[in-house]
Amino acid sequence: MQMETNFGYIDENYKRILYEIGEAKAKYRKPDEQITFMAVTKTVAPEAVNHAIDCGISVLGENRVQEYLSKKELYSQSAQVHFIGHLQTNKVKYIIEDMALIHSVDSIKLAAEIDRHAARIGKIQDILIEVNVGEEDSKSGIPPKHVRPLLQEIAILPNIRVKGLMTIPPAGNSEKFLYQMQQLYLDISAEKLDNIDMEVLSMGMSGDYMTAIRYGSTLVRIGSALFGARHYT
Ligand SMILES: *Cc1c(COP(=O)(O)O)cnc(C)c1O
């Protein structure tokens, strides 16, 4: 049976978001700065994800190990894959080969496990530190004041390279938290810590990507604005 699938809404959404990213960039950022538009794939059918790749998406964001493993064979191979969800140490081994960047490192225990598996497969794994900028009990990530101590511990792990910071700010009034993240990112960049590069500031989702770009985001993670509202089963 032939499946009729109309992904025209993805084309429309993709074009609108790309346009808005361009507007925010023109208004707030330097012309040579690059902003990556990641497509967040949780609950989205692989065919829809591939359609987004055909539109021009080059980075996918994966939240759940099990869901990723069940979909990966069906994805077009042309996009990079990043892990953005909470990662349990015992699941690192299932995904490490595929991930260009892991955004959600929030403990030395997790970093050490990533380092161990990266060494095993002969890889230097790029990671971001996830910051719980609103210090909310419900969220993963570490409070801003714990970022430097964790960076110092991670800096000595040979198979990990820290590339920057990631955050999910509190819902609603995220602006002051996005500003706070920008300050933290710029301060750490200026300190020029050994073995720490600050190249990626991963923040901004469907509801706040324009504001996130204003405050220095280099990578926005977009799910529902691109694929439509999620339906959990
Ligand atoms: C789901 C998710 C997103 C995308 O959220 P939307 O509001 O649907 O754009 C971004 N980042 C993370 C870590 C997520 O889990």
Side-chain angles (χ1 to χ4, degrees):
M1 198 170 86
Q2 187 81 20
M3 267 256 285
E4 267 309 309
T5 328
N6 184 354
F7 291 127
Y9 68 97
I10 296 177
D11 298 80
E12 297 297 314
N13 291 339
Y14 177 80
K15 280 187 219 148
R16 187 190 68 250
I17 296 164
L18 201 63
Y19 176 80
E20 288 181 347
I21 289 172
E23 292 281 289
K25 198 182 153 227
K27 200 160 166 194
Y28 300 118
R29 305 285 290 274
K30 299 197 191 86
D32 61 332
E33 288 182 279
Q34 297 293 322
I35 293 159
T36 303
F37 174 3
M38 166 195 280
V40 175
T41 67
K42 61 183 180 250
T43 78
V44 179
E47 297 72 28
V49 173
N50 289 341
H51 190 82
I53 294 171
D54 290 342
C55 288
I57 285 290
S58 60
V59 179
L60 305 180
E62 294 293 320
N63 280 79
R64 298 167 185 158
V65 170
Q66 210 52 52
E67 183 180 337
Y68 170 66
L69 295 176
S70 73
K71 286 156 71 177
K72 62 179 265 189
E73 305 297 341
L74 303 169
Y75 286 160
S76 310
Q77 297 302 301
S78 52
Q80 279 192 356
V81 185
H82 293 187
F83 199 79
I84 62 172
H86 179 65
L87 183 56
Q88 291 171 277
T89 50
N90 63 353
K91 301 270 174 69
V92 171
K93 58 177 175 286
Y94 300 118
I95 58 148
I96 185 153
E97 265 173 284
D98 297 345
M99 296 300 155
L101 186 64
I102 298 175
H103 291 226
S104 46
V105 176
D106 62 357
S107 71
I108 185 62
K109 185 170 165 241
L110 176 58
E113 188 68 0
I114 292 170
D115 182 66
R116 191 168 77 80
H117 284 289
R120 180 176 58 80
I121 63 169
K123 181 181 189 186
I124 307 288
Q125 179 65 56
D126 288 343
I127 65 153
L128 306 179
I129 304 298
E130 182 174 352
V131 183
N132 182 355
V133 66
E135 307 203 26
E136 298 168 282
D137 292 338
S138 59
K139 292 225 170 98
S140 312
I142 56 169
K145 62 180 173 298
H146 293 167
V147 171
R148 286 179 184 79
L150 181 60
L151 285 174
Q152 281 181 344
E153 287 186 281
I154 291 179
I156 60 171
L157 298 174
N159 286 76
I160 283 194
R161 197 158 46 196
V162 178
K163 287 291 184 184
L165 306 177
M166 179 271 226
T167 198
I168 307 170
N173 67 333
S174 65
E175 185 161 359
K176 72 171 185 186
F177 295 106
L178 296 169
Y179 172 76
Q180 198 181 324
M181 281 300 296
Q182 181 182 39
Q183 296 310 307
L184 181 65
Y185 179 80
L186 292 174
D187 288 349
I188 293 172
S189 304
E191 289 162 22
K192 301 200 188 311
L193 305 173
D194 283 346
N195 297 323
I196 307 293
D197 298 327
M198 285 286 138
E199 293 173 10
V200 181
L201 180 54
S202 167
M203 62 184 194
M205 315 199 305
S206 292
D208 64 357
Y209 60 91
M210 304 280 280
T211 318
I213 290 168
R214 173 171 188 169
Y215 293 106
S217 170
T218 70
L219 184 156
V220 291
R221 308 180 310 264
I222 313 277
S224 50
L226 180 61
F227 294 116
R230 280 182 288 278
H231 304 285
Y232 291 97
T233 48

